[in-house]
Amino acid sequence: MLTLHTYAALPMNTDLSRFDRVRALIWRQDHLLLLDQRKLPFQTEWLELRDVDSVFDAIVELKVRGAPAIGIAAAYAVVLAQRAGEDIEQAIAKLRRSRPTAVNLFWALDRMARAVDLEAEAIAIEREDLAANYAMAAAGAQLLAQGGGVLTICN
C-alpha cells in the first residue's frame, strides 16, 4: 500500500489517481466532470461541463470551490473553447470575470494564454497541484500521531 510518506518521492509521470478517494474535477477529453461542491456532504452530484459558459457559471455559482480547483477548471475551459473553435483570448477574458479575487484563476489563465499545447498545459496545471497536495500531505503526516487525520476544506 502506498503511504503518505511515499507520495512526494513518486515520479511526476506516476498515475496518482488510483490513490485518490475524491477529486473535485475530472478531465474526460471532451468535457470536464465537476463535483458540485454546494451539495456536499449530503449529496454527490457530478456536472458535465462542455463549454466555457458552463465552466464560467460553475465558478460564479460556487459549484467549484478552492483556489486551485478554480484555476484548474478554468484551464480546462480554455481547452474546451479551443476545441469549439472559439477565440481563446475572449474565452480567457470571460473566465477572468468569473471570480475577480481568485489568484489561482488568473495564474492558470496566464499560463494558458502563453501555452502552445493547451490540453497539455491544463493537465500539467492539474498534476502540479496534485503533486503539491501530496507533498503537503507527506510533510504534514509526519506531524500527526499514529492514526490521526486531517479534514481539508476547499480542495
Side-chain angles (χ1 to χ4, degrees), residues 79-98:
V79 177
L80 292 171
Q82 179 188 46
R83 291 193 174 164
E86 296 176 27
D87 182 285
I88 300 303
E89 289 180 16
Q90 287 181 3
I92 289 173
K94 177 175 184 142
L95 290 162
R96 286 181 189 282
R97 294 189 302 272
S98 65

Side-chain angles (χ1 to χ4, degrees), residues 6 16-17 23 25 40 45 54 74 80 92-93 95 109 115:
T6 60
L16 298 175
S17 63
R23 289 260 188 130
L25 44 83
L40 297 174
E45 182 178 326
S54 62
L80 292 171
I92 289 173
L95 290 162
L109 291 173

Side-chain angles (χ1 to χ4, degrees), residues 21-74:
R21 291 191 182 140
V22 177
R23 289 260 188 130
L25 44 83
I26 300 169
W27 178 242
R28 292 288 191 222
Q29 307 305 318
D30 66 340
H31 67 281
L32 182 64
L33 285 176
L34 179 75
L35 180 61
D36 188 341
Q37 294 178 24
R38 302 169 306 168
K39 308 280 175 111
L40 297 174
F42 302 109
Q43 290 179 301
T44 301
E45 182 178 326
W46 289 92
L47 307 170
E48 287 188 16
L49 308 180
R50 296 187 176 273
D51 54 40
V52 172
D53 291 337
S54 62
V55 177
F56 176 89
D57 291 341
I59 295 170
V60 169
E61 295 171 11
L62 302 176
K63 294 175 186 176
V64 58
R65 297 182 187 182
I70 291 167
I72 294 164

Side-chain angles (χ1 to χ4, degrees), residues 137 140-141 144 147-153:
L144 294 176
V150 175
L151 173 65
T152 62
I153 309 292

